[in-house]
Amino acid sequence: MSQIELRGNFHEELNIVSDTIVTLAAHVTEAIPRATEALINNDLELAQEVISHDDELDLLSLQIEERCYALIALQQPMAIDMRSIVTAMKINGEYERSGDLAVNICKGVRRIYGISLSPTLRGLVTSMGEEAVRLTRVSVDAYAEGSEGLAAALPDMDDRLDDLQADFIQEIFAAHSRGELKLEETVQLALVARFYERIGDHAVNIGDRVMYMVTGESTESAGAARARAAQEGDEAE
Amino acid sequence: MVRLLPSKERLSKGSRVSAEELAADVAVDAVASEQTAPTDAIIDDDMPESDLVFNVSDLSVYYGDFRAVRDVNMAIRPKEITALIGPSGCGKSTVLRSFNRMNDLIPTARVEGTLLYRGVDLYDERVDPVEVRRRIGMVFQKPNPFPKSIYDNVAYGPRVAGQKKGLDDVVESSLKKAALWDEVKDRLNESAIGMSGGQQQRLSIARAIAGDPEVLLMDEPCSALDPIATARIEELMAELKDEYTILIVTHNMQQAARVSDRTAFYSVEVDEKSDRRTGILVEYTNTEKLFSNPDDERTENYITGRFG
């Protein structure tokens, strides 16, 4: 049977949504190494650029959201179309938050201006930044390609970032006890490490959403699984 | 598993038996006969076959040499709404009409395969089609009130069936169930022709209900109605589901999604050589599943408008 596209305009609109998501993700992917660079080089100007540029990301994110609302209201999307729109709306928020976290790192740069990081800490920050970028990039590749495989790889990749964060925090506590870092600096650096770690978590969430888009199955978190088991136990009684 | 034929005693009399009587036989004999009925119908959870309202196995419907629809397998559960959707010519209305033998009225039409209603083969020659249509009522695309009073429209079926007493009660309860009573109770003797389209369609539903059916077949019941009248009928269907099993053919996918528990997607298969078109059942599953994550790519393409 010949394939005749019946809802060309609608599907064109859907493509615009996913293209815009990819654009947003690309901006975020660029913001992260810039934040890392600002942190390592004590570069306040660069930090300010990242902070200012985030307004554009927020606008992009708002536009994606509004376009999705319009498509739902006007087109009654079904099946893959419905799943694509829901996924776009969900991951839109995840990328927007990751962009905010890059901003938060840059604000941390301002607060600890002037400190010099030990080579070990620099190395760990660089690695955390690289992992956060890699996770974000793989998440957007998974989305753009509709790839279950790439989405499934994200949780394992995120474990590495989590380990780096743990190492980093251990290292700053040690530096603090050696008197190399003040308490405020130690706290700020711990927060910065947490910001990188959160970027990884958002990428993992995006992977879950891509899984849903591709397979139609929602990922059940460990907590949700426990609550479901508890509820089913109650019902059985 | 049920016995498909009436008892020997009845066979020897050579009389026609109603589906109801057959069903009564079946209930008695159900335990004894485990070997007969086909089991390859689509049953996606654990309802025992004896509880199904319809069980369709390898059903094909022909008009003369032309096979309109082929190899349909469907199990219909009690007190659910099942929607049949698909492009024109996919055989969905043909299948719907076969559920109460309306195709009998077309001289060249015939069916192959089995269509069990409560375990009874509807196309068994001993089954009385008039009784079938009483048990399995139908509502058509266009409201078709008789040029009679509202009361006489609803009382028509029971009267034809020979009922003389208690007609007032039947009319009242049928109109109430059809959510029409409050609008017409003061003008029951006025002509039904003066009613609005939506009211006429609800009158058609009341008329079908008056015969005390178990099943209502609806063939695009809202296609001639405005959105408000359509919404009323959809609300009504949700209420009627408490008492009746409903099958609906609709061209409106959103309607199928809104009202039904299960949806069957039919499509058209074209034979390249002969250019013959045959309807097929592509996918039959829970409505939520079908519209959010269908298994078959042909379903996906149809409901997302990627093919026409």
Side-chain angles (χ1 to χ4, degrees):
Chain A
M1 180 148 318
S2 60
Q3 298 279 106
I4 305 163
E5 173 66 68
L6 284 181
R7 303 181 72 185
N9 290 339
F10 169 44
H11 293 130
E12 189 55 38
E13 286 274 322
L14 271 183
N15 289 340
I16 293 172
V17 167
S18 63
D19 288 351
T20 316
I21 291 271
V22 172
T23 304
L24 173 65
H27 281 293
V28 173
T29 314
E30 279 172 26
I32 300 164
R34 282 155 68 83
T36 306
E37 197 184 327
L39 177 61
I40 287 175
N41 298 336
N42 269 317
D43 188 340
L44 281 184
E45 206 172 318
L46 182 56
Q48 189 53 49
E49 271 178 35
V50 174
I51 293 166
S52 304
H53 184 60
D54 188 58
D55 291 352
E56 280 176 45
L57 273 61
D58 288 348
L59 179 61
L60 212 49
S61 174
L62 182 67
Q63 287 166 341
I64 291 166
E65 192 170 317
E66 286 174 343
R67 205 181 271 268
C68 289
Y69 293 157
L71 288 178
I72 288 173
L74 302 177
Q75 300 286 354
Q76 290 90 43
M78 284 176 170
I80 182 64
D81 297 344
M82 184 275 290
R83 302 202 307 273
S84 300
I85 291 179
V86 170
T87 300
M89 285 169 60
K90 285 281 196 177
I91 72 175
N92 178 37
E94 306 281 353
Y95 284 123
E96 192 271 330
R97 284 300 299 156
S98 286
D100 288 349
L101 288 163
V103 165
N104 289 344
I105 292 168
C106 291
K107 287 180 176 170
V109 171
R110 291 200 299 215
R111 291 191 190 105
I112 55 175
Y113 180 66
I115 68 163
S116 69
L117 296 172
S118 69
T120 312
L121 286 176
R122 284 165 162 266
L124 284 167
V125 166
T126 307
S127 299
M128 283 194 296
E130 285 168 359
E131 283 301 318
V133 169
R134 200 201 317 266
L135 277 152
T136 308
R137 191 170 287 146
V138 170
S139 75
V140 71
D141 286 349
Y143 171 69
E145 293 167 26
S147 165
E148 259 182 281
L150 285 177
L154 285 160
D156 283 346
M157 291 175 62
D158 187 46
D159 287 347
R160 285 173 62 189
L161 181 52
D162 290 348
D163 291 345
L164 286 168
Q165 185 220 207
D167 291 350
F168 181 82
I169 286 180
Q170 208 167 25
E171 194 58 36
I172 53 175
F173 284 172
H176 173 61
S177 61
R178 290 194 299 268
E180 293 163 21
L181 287 172
K182 291 184 204 146
L183 180 61
E184 307 88 83
E185 292 165 351
T186 311
V187 170
Q188 282 304 326
L189 285 170
L191 286 172
V192 163
R194 171 53 56 129
F195 297 148
Y196 282 112
E197 189 267 333
R198 291 297 303 160
I199 292 173
D201 290 349
H202 286 299
V204 172
N205 289 350
I206 290 160
D208 288 347
R209 297 297 163 190
V210 170
M211 287 284 213
Y212 167 74
M213 180 177 79
V214 177
T215 66
E217 308 277 332
S218 298
T219 307
E220 190 174 64
S221 70
R226 273 196 301 278
R228 187 199 291 275
Q231 277 174 8
E232 281 165 5
D234 288 348
E235 278 161 24
E237 273 166 25
Chain B
M1 304 294 155
V2 291
R3 196 150 116 180
L4 298 174
L5 300 175
S7 65
K8 288 232 168 68
E9 190 189 343
R10 239 195 217 108
L11 274 179
S12 63
K13 283 187 198 159
S15 63
R16 287 199 135 179
V17 280
S18 70
E20 207 170 25
E21 287 171 298
L22 275 177
D25 272 354
V26 159
V28 175
D29 294 337
V31 184
S33 50
E34 299 269 319
Q35 71 283 13
T36 40
T39 55
D40 53 354
I42 298 167
I43 304 174
D44 56 2
D45 47 59
D46 298 334
M47 178 166 281
E49 206 171 311
S50 56
D51 291 344
L52 296 173
V53 178
F54 291 105
N55 198 357
V56 182
S57 306
D58 298 328
L59 181 80
S60 297
V61 184
Y62 293 81
Y63 297 115
D65 291 341
F66 172 62
R67 185 160 65 167
V69 60
R70 71 168 177 86
D71 302 328
V72 173
N73 289 288
M74 274 180 99
I76 309 289
R77 284 139 215 282
K79 296 179 181 172
E80 282 193 353
I81 299 176
T82 304
L84 281 61
I85 63 166
S88 295
C90 70
K92 57 191 187 296
S93 289
T94 295
V95 169
L96 188 79
R97 285 199 299 267
S98 66
F99 278 105
N100 74 343
R101 294 188 53 169
M102 292 294 277
N103 288 330
D104 290 13
L105 307 175
I106 301 165
T108 58
R110 66 189 169 86
V111 302
E112 277 177 8
T114 49
L115 203 166
L116 302 183
Y117 165 62
R118 292 290 181 190
V120 176
D121 185 349
L122 277 185
Y123 286 85
D124 188 289
E125 58 184 10
R126 291 170 299 268
V127 169
D128 175 4
V130 174
E131 179 61 19
V132 168
R133 287 170 209 145
R134 191 191 66 72
R135 302 285 302 160
I136 305 164
M138 191 144 188
V139 177
F140 297 91
Q141 185 171 1
K142 278 192 187 162
N144 52 349
F146 303 140
K148 292 169 176 287
S149 72
I150 293 168
Y151 184 101
D152 288 342
N153 262 277
V154 182
Y156 187 86
R159 274 186 183 139
V160 167
Q163 185 176 348
K164 294 197 174 82
K165 289 178 186 169
L167 283 175
D168 289 358
D169 291 342
V170 171
V171 170
E172 182 174 340
S173 79
S174 302
L175 285 169
K176 278 182 175 164
K177 284 181 191 167
L180 195 55
W181 175 251
D182 289 339
E183 289 163 58
V184 302
K185 65 185 176 200
D186 298 325
R187 51 185 180 112
L188 291 176
N189 292 316
E190 289 176 25
S191 169
I193 304 299
M195 304 168 90
S196 74
Q199 287 175 327
Q200 288 185 3
Q201 194 60 303
R202 277 179 283 148
L203 183 69
S204 304
I205 292 171
R207 206 170 56 197
I209 289 171
D212 192 26
E214 181 186 9
V215 181
L216 290 173
L217 306 179
M218 299 186 170
D219 194 353
E220 297 182 46
C222 303
S223 61
L225 304 182
D226 71 29
I228 292 174
T230 297
R232 283 230 175 90
I233 300 277
E234 290 179 4
E235 287 280 300
L236 176 58
M237 289 175 72
E239 285 167 29
L240 292 172
K241 199 173 82 165
D242 291 341
E243 275 186 66
Y244 306 96
T245 302
I246 300 174
L247 281 90
I248 175 173
V249 162
T250 175
H251 272 131
N252 181 334
M253 271 188 286
Q254 273 74 32
Q255 178 168 64
R258 283 192 298 266
V259 303
S260 73
D261 300 292
R262 274 164 224 276
T263 301
F265 168 60
Y266 285 79
S267 190
V268 189
E269 200 178 55
V270 183
D271 185 321
E272 300 272 330
K273 282 182 196 154
S274 62
D275 199 37
R276 285 230 161 159
R277 306 165 81 85
T278 307
I280 49 166
L281 173 58
V282 174
E283 185 164 359
Y284 173 45
T285 185
N286 295 330
T287 297
E288 189 184 330
K289 159 92 174 137
L290 190 118
F291 286 109
S292 64
N293 187 20
D295 284 332
D296 196 292
E297 203 186 345
R298 291 167 293 179
T299 314
E300 178 102 31
N301 287 341
Y302 180 74
I303 64 176
T304 60
R306 286 188 168 81
F307 122 87

